[in-house]
Amino acid sequence: GAGVSQTPSNKVTEKGKYVELRCDPISGHTALYWYRQSLGQGPEFLIYFQGTGAADDSGLPNDRFFAVRPEGSVSTLKIQRTERGDSAVYLCASSLGAAQETQYFGPGTRLLVL
Amino acid sequence: DQQVKQNSPSLSVQEGRISILNCDYTNSMFDYFLWYKKYPAEGPTFLISISSIKDKNEDGRFTVFLNKSAKHLSLHIVPSQPGDSAVYFCAARGTPYSGAGSYQLTFGKGTKLSVIP
């Protein structure tokens, strides 16, 4: 049984570049969440999808961040004009439905902006 | 303003003894609480949860206690094992209808548990 998968596992980029991070949720899970974890902190919410639509994007820090989930399964988090402060672990989680309490996390993508 | 607080960054316990990890929250609209365990270079793994209508939930060696009036929960691990050494995160969830945001989880900063053989 596959869990949540994320690619790439590590990404190193230069300041100002564009990056895409991919999340493949557990099959059948309709709710998908993105979180960001900085060193020494707990994960912080970015955005959540119910199906194809972004039901809550209140955690996105600014308009350089954008996420899509066009077919209601795989999601891509897109970061434009990356800054050094974007360096963090980006975590994806999914749950059976939005009201299902347990969210299952992927291993994360470690983003380093030089 | 941190809505979920884990005031102990680290905890060391002897193997076989009880580990108690604490968590406080400020938002009374949170209605569900979860504990996750995290090993280095891995994502958080769900451990145990509790609904706000309960005050205790048990699963094997793990028990979570909730004191709603004090806005406090704790995770008890007994007996502690070396494999339990990890960072433990407390998380809280509301609903769009409870006034605590949507279904996202709000996490504490974590407590690093070391179980000494």
Side-chain angles (χ1 to χ4, degrees), chain A residues 33 35 37 41-43 45 48 56 91 98-99 101-103 105-107 110, chain B residues 32 34 36 38 41-44 46 49 89 93 102-105 107-109:
Chain A
Y33 307 79
Y35 294 82
Q37 186 175 15
Q41 304 294 316
F45 169 74
Y48 111 81
D56 182 356
L91 294 162
E101 299 84 0
T102 303
Q103 296 177 22
F105 282 81
R110 285 149 197 80
Chain B
Y32 206 83
L34 306 90
Y36 285 85
K38 188 180 183 302
E42 295 184 11
F46 170 71
S49 61
F89 289 99
R93 197 208 72 160
S102 64
Y103 294 109
Q104 76 268 28
L105 299 177
F107 284 85
K109 290 187 177 183

Side-chain angles (χ1 to χ4, degrees), chain A residues 51-108:
Chain A
T52 60
D56 182 356
D57 64 357
S58 62
L60 295 177
N62 51 59
D63 61 6
R64 295 187 297 105
F65 289 75
F66 189 71
V68 296
R69 195 186 184 200
E71 296 178 358
S73 179
V74 170
S75 176
T76 304
L77 179 66
K78 309 181 182 197
I79 311 174
Q80 297 177 321
R81 305 182 305 279
T82 52
E83 300 177 357
R84 292 193 180 89
D86 298 335
S87 297
V89 176
Y90 289 81
L91 294 162
C92 176
S94 69
S95 64
L96 200 55
Q100 297 297 314
E101 299 84 0
T102 303
Q103 296 177 22
Y104 298 92
F105 282 81

Side-chain angles (χ1 to χ4, degrees), chain B residues 4-107:
Chain B
V4 177
K5 297 179 183 179
Q6 294 178 255
N7 291 319
S8 297
S10 63
L11 175 69
S12 287
V13 172
Q14 288 285 337
E15 180 179 5
R17 306 294 288 268
I18 184 170
S19 295
I20 300 176
L21 296 98
N22 293 303
C23 177
D24 297 290
Y25 61 96
T26 57
N27 191 334
S28 58
M29 296 301 181
F30 287 139
D31 68 350
Y32 206 83
F33 304 89
L34 306 90
W35 284 93
Y36 285 85
K37 180 167 78 171
K38 188 180 183 302
Y39 294 118
E42 295 184 11
T45 301
F46 170 71
L47 197 55
I48 192 170
S49 61
I50 188 166
S51 164
S52 60
I53 62 173
K54 294 185 173 182
D55 57 14
K56 177 182 174 181
N57 189 26
E58 201 170 346
D59 183 2
R61 298 186 297 115
F62 302 91
T63 303
V64 56
F65 296 92
L66 175 62
N67 182 332
K68 281 185 65 178
S69 61
K71 295 191 181 67
H72 176 84
L73 62 156
S74 61
L75 174 67
H76 292 210
I77 306 173
V78 56
S80 301
Q81 299 173 354
D84 296 330
S85 297
V87 177
Y88 288 77
F89 289 99
C90 170
R93 197 208 72 160
T95 74
Y97 316 104
S98 69
S102 64
Y103 294 109
Q104 76 268 28
L105 299 177
T106 301
F107 284 85

Side-chain angles (χ1 to χ4, degrees), chain A residues 17-38:
Chain A
K17 299 288 188 182
Y18 167 82
V19 296
E20 289 190 352
L21 312 179
R22 176 187 165 112
C23 172
D24 208 330
I26 294 172
S27 177
H29 280 196
T30 62
L32 184 147
Y33 307 79
W34 284 98
Y35 294 82
R36 179 169 72 171
Q37 186 175 15
S38 302

